């Protein structure tokens, strides 16, 4: 959800589960997320405006 500066998570049936990310330039914030990759226990988000990768830990969302 690039224009709203957040990542939305849905289950395989398309049901909304959660969202994360807020607008900003500090750690943990997103400005214009364009791609997501999940590896191990982390979510890597590519931010187009910030030209950076922001890493979120899945345990912060109660996911293991």
């Amino acid at each position: 959800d690039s224009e709203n500066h957040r990542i939305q998570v849905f289950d395989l049936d398309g049901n909304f589960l959660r969202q994360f990310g807020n607008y900003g330039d500090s750690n943990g914030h997103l400005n214009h997320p364009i791609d997501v990759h999940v590896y191990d226990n982390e979510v890597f988000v590519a931010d187009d405006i910030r030209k950076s990768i922001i890493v979120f830990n899945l345990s912060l969302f109660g996911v293991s």
Side-chain angles (χ1 to χ4, degrees):
D1 192 4
S2 295
E3 298 302 318
N4 290 308
H5 318 287
R6 64 185 177 196
I7 303 300
Q8 296 188 64
V9 181
F10 298 86
D11 66 16
L12 293 176
D13 294 321
N15 298 305
F16 176 80
L17 297 176
R18 69 185 59 84
Q19 68 183 32
F20 61 92
N22 294 307
Y23 174 74
D25 291 323
S26 59
N27 288 339
H29 289 86
L30 302 169
N31 198 319
H32 193 258
I34 57 169
D35 198 11
V36 175
H37 180 78
V38 178
Y39 178 77
D40 216 8
N41 197 37
E42 297 177 313
V43 179
F44 298 83
V45 181
D47 192 302
D48 185 42
I49 300 296
R50 292 178 62 188
K51 305 294 187 222
S52 60
I53 304 294
I54 295 87
V55 181
F56 295 90
N57 191 302
L58 287 174
S59 64
L60 297 174
F61 310 107
V63 178
S64 57

